[in-house]
Amino acid sequence: MYPGIRVSLQTVAGSDSSEIDHPQTAPVFAITQESQPFDAIDLEVTNQGHAVLQVRLMASALPRQEALHSLARILILAVCMGILLSAVLSIVSMGWSNRRLRHLSQQAHAAGQSGHISLAGVDAELLELVEAFNSVLTQREAAYRQSESFSADVAHELRSPLATMIGGAQLALSRPRSSEELRDALASNLEECERLKKLINDMLFLARADRGERAQSLERADLSILADDMISYCGALLDDAGLQAVRIGCASAVCNEALIKRAMANLLSNAIRHAQGEHNVELHLEALPGKVRFWVFNAGPAIADDVASRMFDRFFRANASRSDHTVHHGLGLSIVHAIARMHGGTVFVHIQDTGNAIGIEIPSALASRQVRVREAVHEALR
């Protein structure tokens, strides 16, 4: 559309005059005359509703068409240049990215020596990938160290009872023995065999927990009753240590009773061995929203930080020189940790000025998907 065109006509007759003034906007259309294109517009001038004059204005369309063709050529050239520039930049960017990826690949191959990929100079787009890769390497290294340490600890723990059994058998066979002496030698070997059996069962239990096995045969249990039973079960240990144990609090949870009782017994026996003074050993129960805690508190000096960070490791003893390694293998708290994981919970250590609290936190009710898993784990207290 062209802008409005104002047409002004004036007629003069004697002293009377009248002015015809009618602005309007009309559509533009294309026509061809003498093989030349024109843009045209028709205007009609009226006076008091009567047509007075019809005007057709025409302008050559060649300049407009040439301008449009020129603009089209410029746009096509710009698009082609943009496509070419984008292709060149893409090739350069891909080459640069490939060089960075090849550099990271070389660092990944060499990570076996350094243990991780250096984050220096890593682009922001690849930083998260490198951090995830370093995390995997760290976990692999930790698993490898744990496996090495576990194998060495197992060999060390098995060596002592086997050496005792071999030495006892060699001594019994070194000269003729009476039936009573042979019976004593067999009884001693049987005791060592029972220790080996317990150690192997504990290691198999921990291996199943490491594979992700979850607790089965879950039922709503009153933890107060289980705690009282375990305090009674540890009565002989308490008497030998000259201590008493009390339960504080009450709670209930959906759990495997045998496993929870075993965890309580291990916590109690650990506290009894390390208790000092004449203070009672306290077994606490606490119900929290959606979860349950139980822990054993015993008075004594605060646990050192390095000991607290490792006390749930396998075969770890806070003071190996004073521990009775012929009876305790350092797996008690490791089993407590495994039982917590099998119930979807965690372990904790609270160090206080007056004593130390070690315990478990588990969900008070497990989801059905956590119940329908592998076969139930039934471990009798030994």
Side-chain angles (χ1 to χ4, degrees):
M1 299 294 291
Y2 280 89
I5 297 177
R6 179 176 292 275
V7 179
S8 179
L9 298 177
Q10 186 174 14
T11 61
V12 178
S15 60
D16 296 331
S17 65
S18 63
E19 182 177 327
I20 303 173
D21 187 5
H22 180 75
Q24 70 177 45
T25 300
V28 177
F29 57 93
I31 63 173
T32 303
Q33 287 187 0
E34 298 178 358
S35 301
Q36 295 292 326
F38 291 89
D39 293 331
I41 181 172
D42 288 338
L43 298 176
E44 185 178 84
V45 181
T46 62
N47 182 25
Q48 295 181 356
H50 301 285
V52 175
L53 182 66
Q54 289 184 345
V55 180
R56 171 171 289 180
L57 301 178
M58 295 170 39
S60 177
L62 288 177
R64 180 178 59 81
Q65 291 181 352
E66 290 178 357
L68 290 175
H69 291 160
S70 177
L71 180 60
R73 288 192 296 270
I74 293 174
L75 289 176
I76 292 173
L77 180 61
V79 170
C80 293
M81 291 298 294
I83 293 174
L84 180 61
L85 182 60
S86 298
V88 172
L89 291 177
S90 298
I91 293 173
V92 172
S93 177
M94 291 177 61
W96 180 80
S97 298
N98 288 335
R99 286 195 300 271
R100 297 299 302 163
L101 289 175
R102 284 194 296 270
H103 180 64
L104 286 178
S105 298
Q106 294 172 357
Q107 286 185 311
H109 285 298
Q113 300 176 357
S114 63
H116 66 281
I117 299 177
S118 174
L119 298 179
V122 177
D123 300 319
E125 296 81 0
L126 300 175
L127 184 60
E128 186 175 353
L129 175 63
V130 174
E131 289 178 346
F133 187 78
N134 285 341
S135 176
V136 173
L137 291 178
T138 301
Q139 294 176 7
R140 185 194 66 176
E141 184 67 21
Y144 178 75
R145 288 197 301 267
Q146 183 180 8
S147 177
E148 273 192 334
S149 175
F150 182 70
S151 300
D153 290 335
V154 169
H156 176 75
E157 294 295 332
L158 292 178
R159 183 176 60 181
S160 296
L162 287 175
T164 301
M165 293 173 62
I166 292 173
Q170 290 175 342
L171 181 61
L173 296 175
S174 62
R175 60 181 178 83
R177 302 283 180 177
S178 64
S179 59
E180 189 65 28
E181 291 174 332
L182 292 176
R183 181 182 296 274
D184 291 340
L186 289 175
S188 177
N189 282 352
L190 179 60
E191 183 179 350
E192 294 298 328
C193 288
E194 290 292 340
R195 288 184 54 227
L196 285 175
K197 175 185 175 182
K198 182 180 184 302
L199 176 60
I200 292 172
N201 286 340
D202 289 345
M203 291 189 297
L204 290 175
F205 177 81
L206 292 173
R208 291 200 301 271
D210 289 342
R211 292 197 303 268
E213 188 166 322
R214 305 303 293 266
Q216 260 290 7
S217 298
L218 304 177
E219 297 179 353
R220 174 66 63 177
D222 187 345
L223 300 185
S224 305
I225 298 176
L226 302 185
D228 293 339
D229 291 343
M230 289 303 97
I231 290 175
S232 177
Y233 176 82
C234 296
L237 293 176
L238 291 167
D239 292 340
D240 291 341
L243 299 171
Q244 291 184 345
V246 295
R247 171 179 59 84
I248 300 176
C250 58
S252 65
V254 176
C255 61
N256 181 300
E257 291 190 12
L259 293 178
I260 294 299
K261 289 170 70 174
R262 185 176 186 185
M264 289 180 176
N266 286 358
L267 291 173
L268 283 169
S269 61
N270 179 76
I272 293 170
R273 288 199 307 273
H274 297 92
Q276 296 184 4
E278 299 180 354
H279 297 279
N280 292 335
V281 175
E282 301 173 356
L283 177 53
H284 292 256
L285 304 175
E286 182 180 14
L288 300 173
K291 56 188 177 182
V292 170
R293 282 182 178 181
F294 62 87
W295 68 93
V296 174
F297 176 85
N298 63 300
I303 300 174
D305 291 338
D306 58 336
V307 174
S309 63
R310 296 190 55 198
M311 63 191 312
F312 292 100
D313 293 348
R314 298 170 186 177
F315 301 110
F316 175 75
R317 301 182 183 92
N319 191 350
S321 61
R322 294 175 54 189
S323 299
D324 186 3
H325 64 273
T326 62
V327 178
H328 304 288
H329 302 284
L331 293 179
L333 293 182
S334 299
I335 292 174
V336 171
H337 192 190
I339 292 173
R341 295 200 311 271
M342 295 172 74
H343 284 82
T346 58
V347 293
F348 61 87
V349 180
H350 291 164
I351 302 173
Q352 304 174 14
D353 294 336
T354 57
N356 307 286
I358 305 173
I360 286 181
E361 181 179 290
I362 62 173
S364 58
L366 299 181
S368 58
R369 64 178 178 84
Q370 293 177 306
V371 177
R372 299 189 185 95
V373 288
R374 303 181 183 178
E375 284 189 15
V377 179
H378 297 287
E379 292 290 339
L381 290 168
R382 291 186 290 273

